Amino acid sequence: MRDIRYLWEDYQIFDYAGVEKHLSDMAARGWRLEKTGAMFWKYRRMKPAKVTYAVTYIHNASDLNPQPTQEQQILDEYCQEAGWKKVADWSKMQIFSSEEADPIPIETDEATRLEVIRRCTGMQIWPVNIALLLLFLLEAGMLLSNPITFFTRNSNVFLGLILLTGIILTAVTMGSYFLWSYRSEKSVKQGGKCVSCGQFYRYFNRGVLILTLLLAWGWLMSLLADSGIGIFVYAVLYMVLVYLIIILMRLSAKLMKRRGFSKKANQIVLIIGNILLCITLIGTLSYVFLHPDKNGESMIQKMMKEDTAEEDSAEKLPVTLQSLQSNVPSVQFSGLEALESMDVNDDKQIEHSLRTREYSTCFMWQLQVDELIKAEDEELEWITLSYDVLKVNLPFLYEKCRLEYMKNNSLERGAHYQKEDASLWNAERVYRWYYGEDRPADEWVICRGDYIVRLELSWEPSDGQKVWMMERLCP
């Protein structure tokens, strides 16, 4: 039978009433608190007994102090004279116990208690959670700024859900503190005590953590499916290094505390150490995976190239140059009759490149295809077919996605999309890219039903090709 037990305790720092009750219940079951930690508290088995616990706060107490502050020493002496034994401290929280039947209370003025708690915990609750909330909102905003990439990648959807849980948790943390402070102030003014937080936050916090872990696992698996082994390995190593940095910083803080370094010196070392470790470890990882070699390719790009290698994928695609030539008379290729004599499967006659990528979520489906063909005759130019097909299952996102496709990323002055006759494409709306007023490009954004197509060709398609491609791309 084990005499030591570690429990994950997730009480709010201001929930002194919940901590007191919990420790008394543990003592009644034969477990006495021995040491507190950032997440896990250490308990030792002892004879079950009725023990009263009291929690108070010292504003200048810190886990980084090498020795108890003068205020802590005075409090310890006072409590010892009153029959209280110092058990542990948790940040600014001081925990005492007494086995007397009716011990002298440490706190006698509830208004003073409330003021001290606010002073000690407010600076821990508000700045940290506001900063986290702003960070989560910023990251979420960056994800949602590109609705197509967000809603077509399961990895991005999972990441968005993780950010959402973070936003909810920080908002609930601040909300629970505000509500506790408001209700306690109201109770104290009426001659009562500070109120208890109850068990809601603890259960909620644990539920959010379990959900976050499940979402993180789903994110990693979907990242592997969406982006390949390169990005997956990079993400896993990145998280491992972040966790390693946290462990190293905590170990260094404990070591410096034992060696007698002051709180300020410890904080400076932690800040500098964090920066140096992040630059060294994360920088090295990023250099190894992202830095291009002499051929201009990074390790991740090489892994992604291996992952995206296509085998006999042309037959599964709705439109290829070969299928376009087979189903529409070659005379309609307007000057590209050379295609008629080309055998796509004969590497000796032509160069052929085909890259495809497909993404699917419950919100959207996307297919990206880039095909290039060139004969050995150097006088012939590349014949290119490139399209991006998007099926939008959420109608309210349709226009956002269309506008995302039509973003003007060109540096050329006057470049824009211009609306054209949609009936030629058998579609609802068609927009063509123009470099200037009279310089149309062979690039279109086409809306038909639930589909949006961005199409780029190296020639001017005939009316027959337009209709045939739309029937295949937007069934």
Side-chain angles (χ1 to χ4, degrees), residues 382-425:
W382 282 102
I383 303 171
T384 62
L385 168 67
S386 177
Y387 56 85
D388 189 336
V389 184
L390 184 71
K391 186 176 187 296
V392 184
N393 297 327
L394 300 177
F396 69 90
L397 291 174
Y398 192 91
E399 282 302 303
K400 293 182 181 296
C401 295
R402 180 185 69 82
L403 293 174
E404 176 65 25
Y405 273 137
M406 294 177 61
K407 275 186 178 179
N408 186 352
N409 296 321
S410 175
L411 298 177
E412 187 166 343
R413 188 174 182 180
H416 65 285
Y417 275 100
Q418 184 173 310
K419 201 168 185 178
E420 289 196 337
D421 185 4
S423 62
L424 298 177
W425 295 82

Side-chain angles (χ1 to χ4, degrees), residues 135-136 139-141 143 158-168:
L135 178 62
F136 291 146
E139 291 291 336
L143 277 178
F158 274 108
L159 183 57
L161 292 174
I162 292 174
L163 292 173
L164 179 61
T165 59
I167 292 171
I168 293 174

Side-chain angles (χ1 to χ4, degrees), residues 421-440:
D421 185 4
S423 62
L424 298 177
W425 295 82
N426 194 18
E428 284 87 34
R429 285 176 292 172
V430 175
Y431 304 87
R432 186 169 186 173
W433 179 253
Y434 278 75
Y435 291 111
E437 292 298 328
D438 300 318
R439 295 173 56 199

Side-chain angles (χ1 to χ4, degrees), residues 310-320 322-323 344-345 352 354 356 371 387 472:
E310 300 296 330
E311 295 182 2
D312 301 326
S313 60
E315 297 179 359
K316 303 176 183 179
L317 297 177
V319 175
T320 63
Q322 190 175 31
S323 65
V344 174
N345 297 313
H352 181 222
L354 177 62
T356 70
E371 186 177 14
Y387 56 85
R472 296 280 294 171

